[in-house]
Short mmCIF file of all heavy atoms in Angstrom, two decimals:
data_model
loop_
_atom_site.label_atom_id
_atom_site.label_comp_id
_atom_site.label_asym_id
_atom_site.label_seq_id
_atom_site.Cartn_x
_atom_site.Cartn_y
_atom_site.Cartn_z
N GLU A 1 -50.42 3.88 8.92
CA GLU A 1 -51.61 4.50 8.40
C GLU A 1 -52.85 3.63 8.59
O GLU A 1 -53.92 4.12 8.93
CB GLU A 1 -51.37 4.79 6.92
CG GLU A 1 -50.42 5.88 6.61
CD GLU A 1 -50.15 6.15 5.20
OE1 GLU A 1 -50.44 5.29 4.32
OE2 GLU A 1 -49.58 7.17 4.84
N GLY A 2 -52.65 2.31 8.46
CA GLY A 2 -53.85 1.39 8.73
C GLY A 2 -54.20 1.41 10.21
O GLY A 2 -55.40 1.47 10.51
N PHE A 3 -53.24 1.36 11.08
CA PHE A 3 -53.52 1.23 12.51
C PHE A 3 -54.23 2.55 12.94
O PHE A 3 -55.16 2.49 13.73
CB PHE A 3 -52.23 1.10 13.24
CG PHE A 3 -52.48 0.90 14.77
CD1 PHE A 3 -52.89 -0.33 15.25
CD2 PHE A 3 -52.27 1.94 15.61
CE1 PHE A 3 -53.15 -0.48 16.54
CE2 PHE A 3 -52.43 1.73 17.01
CZ PHE A 3 -52.90 0.56 17.44
N TYR A 4 -53.81 3.72 12.45
CA TYR A 4 -54.40 4.99 12.87
C TYR A 4 -55.37 5.51 11.93
O TYR A 4 -55.67 6.73 11.94
CB TYR A 4 -53.26 6.00 13.15
CG TYR A 4 -52.44 5.72 14.37
CD1 TYR A 4 -51.14 5.19 14.28
CD2 TYR A 4 -53.02 5.92 15.63
CE1 TYR A 4 -50.39 4.89 15.44
CE2 TYR A 4 -52.26 5.64 16.78
CZ TYR A 4 -50.95 5.15 16.69
OH TYR A 4 -50.20 4.91 17.87
N ALA A 5 -55.94 4.64 11.08
CA ALA A 5 -56.91 5.10 10.00
C ALA A 5 -58.11 5.86 10.62
O ALA A 5 -58.61 6.77 9.89
CB ALA A 5 -57.40 3.88 9.24
N VAL A 6 -58.45 5.57 11.86
CA VAL A 6 -59.62 6.30 12.47
C VAL A 6 -59.31 7.81 12.56
O VAL A 6 -60.24 8.55 12.65
CB VAL A 6 -59.90 5.60 13.87
CG1 VAL A 6 -58.73 5.81 14.80
CG2 VAL A 6 -61.19 6.13 14.47
N HIS A 7 -58.01 8.16 12.58
CA HIS A 7 -57.63 9.60 12.71
C HIS A 7 -57.28 10.20 11.40
O HIS A 7 -56.84 11.27 11.30
CB HIS A 7 -56.47 9.67 13.63
CG HIS A 7 -56.73 9.18 14.99
ND1 HIS A 7 -57.67 9.73 15.81
CD2 HIS A 7 -56.02 8.25 15.68
CE1 HIS A 7 -57.60 9.08 16.96
NE2 HIS A 7 -56.75 8.22 16.97
N LYS A 8 -57.51 9.48 10.29
CA LYS A 8 -57.04 9.91 8.93
C LYS A 8 -57.49 11.41 8.59
O LYS A 8 -56.73 12.09 7.96
CB LYS A 8 -57.57 8.95 7.79
CG LYS A 8 -56.95 9.25 6.47
CD LYS A 8 -57.12 8.05 5.55
CE LYS A 8 -56.49 8.21 4.28
NZ LYS A 8 -55.03 8.10 4.32
N GLU A 9 -58.66 11.80 8.95
CA GLU A 9 -59.14 13.15 8.64
C GLU A 9 -58.75 14.18 9.66
O GLU A 9 -58.99 15.39 9.44
CB GLU A 9 -60.67 13.17 8.50
CG GLU A 9 -61.16 12.15 7.50
CD GLU A 9 -60.61 12.43 6.06
OE1 GLU A 9 -60.44 13.64 5.67
OE2 GLU A 9 -60.27 11.42 5.40
N ARG A 10 -58.03 13.87 10.62
CA ARG A 10 -57.63 14.78 11.71
C ARG A 10 -56.30 15.44 11.29
O ARG A 10 -55.49 14.94 10.57
CB ARG A 10 -57.40 14.09 13.02
CG ARG A 10 -58.80 13.54 13.55
CD ARG A 10 -58.67 13.20 14.90
NE ARG A 10 -59.82 13.68 15.65
CZ ARG A 10 -60.15 13.15 16.82
NH1 ARG A 10 -59.42 12.14 17.31
NH2 ARG A 10 -61.15 13.63 17.45
N PRO A 11 -56.16 16.70 11.78
CA PRO A 11 -54.92 17.44 11.29
C PRO A 11 -53.62 16.83 11.74
O PRO A 11 -52.59 17.11 11.09
CB PRO A 11 -55.12 18.86 11.94
CG PRO A 11 -56.22 18.69 12.93
CD PRO A 11 -57.04 17.49 12.55
N PHE A 12 -53.64 16.08 12.80
CA PHE A 12 -52.33 15.56 13.34
C PHE A 12 -51.95 14.16 12.74
O PHE A 12 -50.94 13.59 13.06
CB PHE A 12 -52.46 15.35 14.90
CG PHE A 12 -53.51 14.51 15.33
CD1 PHE A 12 -53.36 13.05 15.40
CD2 PHE A 12 -54.73 14.98 15.80
CE1 PHE A 12 -54.36 12.26 15.83
CE2 PHE A 12 -55.76 14.17 16.27
CZ PHE A 12 -55.57 12.79 16.29
N PHE A 13 -52.79 13.64 11.82
CA PHE A 13 -52.60 12.26 11.22
C PHE A 13 -51.15 12.06 10.60
O PHE A 13 -50.49 11.20 10.98
CB PHE A 13 -53.64 11.96 10.24
CG PHE A 13 -53.53 10.59 9.66
CD1 PHE A 13 -53.85 9.44 10.34
CD2 PHE A 13 -53.11 10.51 8.32
CE1 PHE A 13 -53.65 8.17 9.77
CE2 PHE A 13 -52.92 9.22 7.76
CZ PHE A 13 -53.23 8.07 8.48
N GLY A 14 -50.83 13.02 9.79
CA GLY A 14 -49.56 12.92 9.08
C GLY A 14 -48.36 12.93 10.06
O GLY A 14 -47.41 12.13 9.99
N GLU A 15 -48.43 13.77 11.08
CA GLU A 15 -47.29 13.89 12.07
C GLU A 15 -47.32 12.62 12.92
O GLU A 15 -46.23 12.13 13.19
CB GLU A 15 -47.55 15.13 12.92
CG GLU A 15 -46.54 15.36 13.96
CD GLU A 15 -46.78 16.52 14.92
OE1 GLU A 15 -47.63 17.35 14.58
OE2 GLU A 15 -46.10 16.56 15.94
N LEU A 16 -48.47 12.14 13.22
CA LEU A 16 -48.55 10.92 14.02
C LEU A 16 -47.92 9.74 13.26
O LEU A 16 -47.10 8.95 13.81
CB LEU A 16 -50.05 10.59 14.37
CG LEU A 16 -50.28 9.25 15.03
CD1 LEU A 16 -49.60 9.20 16.37
CD2 LEU A 16 -51.83 9.05 15.18
N VAL A 17 -48.25 9.56 12.01
CA VAL A 17 -47.67 8.47 11.18
C VAL A 17 -46.21 8.63 11.09
O VAL A 17 -45.39 7.65 11.36
CB VAL A 17 -48.31 8.45 9.79
CG1 VAL A 17 -47.48 7.52 8.92
CG2 VAL A 17 -49.77 7.99 9.89
N GLU A 18 -45.72 9.83 10.88
CA GLU A 18 -44.25 10.08 10.74
C GLU A 18 -43.52 9.71 12.09
O GLU A 18 -42.43 9.12 12.11
CB GLU A 18 -43.94 11.50 10.39
CG GLU A 18 -44.39 11.86 9.03
CD GLU A 18 -43.69 11.05 7.89
OE1 GLU A 18 -42.46 10.75 8.06
OE2 GLU A 18 -44.32 10.67 6.91
N GLN A 19 -44.15 10.10 13.17
CA GLN A 19 -43.53 9.74 14.50
C GLN A 19 -43.46 8.23 14.71
O GLN A 19 -42.47 7.72 15.20
CB GLN A 19 -44.33 10.33 15.67
CG GLN A 19 -44.15 11.82 15.83
CD GLN A 19 -45.01 12.45 16.88
OE1 GLN A 19 -45.94 11.86 17.36
NE2 GLN A 19 -44.80 13.70 17.20
N MET A 20 -44.51 7.56 14.30
CA MET A 20 -44.63 6.12 14.55
C MET A 20 -43.70 5.28 13.70
O MET A 20 -43.35 4.16 14.02
CB MET A 20 -46.09 5.61 14.46
CG MET A 20 -46.94 6.25 15.58
SD MET A 20 -46.44 5.95 17.23
CE MET A 20 -46.66 4.22 17.41
N ILE A 21 -43.30 5.83 12.53
CA ILE A 21 -42.44 5.08 11.66
C ILE A 21 -40.99 5.53 11.74
O ILE A 21 -40.11 5.04 11.11
CB ILE A 21 -42.92 5.13 10.17
CG1 ILE A 21 -42.82 6.60 9.58
CG2 ILE A 21 -44.29 4.59 10.07
CD1 ILE A 21 -43.11 6.62 8.10
N ALA A 22 -40.74 6.58 12.57
CA ALA A 22 -39.35 7.14 12.62
C ALA A 22 -38.38 6.17 13.20
O ALA A 22 -37.19 6.18 12.78
CB ALA A 22 -39.43 8.34 13.55
N SER A 23 -38.77 5.33 14.11
CA SER A 23 -37.85 4.31 14.67
C SER A 23 -38.74 3.22 15.32
O SER A 23 -39.95 3.33 15.41
CB SER A 23 -36.96 4.96 15.72
OG SER A 23 -37.66 5.57 16.80
N PRO A 24 -38.13 2.19 15.83
CA PRO A 24 -38.89 1.02 16.37
C PRO A 24 -39.81 1.37 17.58
O PRO A 24 -39.61 2.34 18.22
CB PRO A 24 -37.85 0.02 16.81
CG PRO A 24 -36.62 0.34 15.94
CD PRO A 24 -36.64 1.84 15.78
N VAL A 25 -40.82 0.52 17.70
CA VAL A 25 -41.80 0.57 18.79
C VAL A 25 -41.80 -0.86 19.39
O VAL A 25 -41.32 -1.82 18.80
CB VAL A 25 -43.25 0.88 18.29
CG1 VAL A 25 -43.25 2.29 17.64
CG2 VAL A 25 -43.79 -0.11 17.30
N VAL A 26 -42.44 -0.97 20.59
CA VAL A 26 -42.70 -2.22 21.21
C VAL A 26 -44.26 -2.33 21.31
O VAL A 26 -44.91 -1.49 21.77
CB VAL A 26 -42.11 -2.33 22.60
CG1 VAL A 26 -42.60 -3.60 23.33
CG2 VAL A 26 -40.57 -2.32 22.55
#
């Protein structure tokens, strides 16, 4: 949520956060 805060008001924000926390990233 902090990293993508710039997109907080956009309709895809919640889905983006869910995707990014679903499993590990590099």
Side-chain angles (χ1 to χ4, degrees):
E1 288 176 348
F3 184 78
Y4 288 107
V6 66
H7 299 302
K8 191 164 184 70
E9 301 305 318
R10 297 195 134 157
F12 60 81
F13 178 74
E15 182 181 347
L16 175 60
V17 168
E18 290 302 321
Q19 286 175 350
M20 294 304 290
I21 66 173
S23 59
V25 300
V26 171

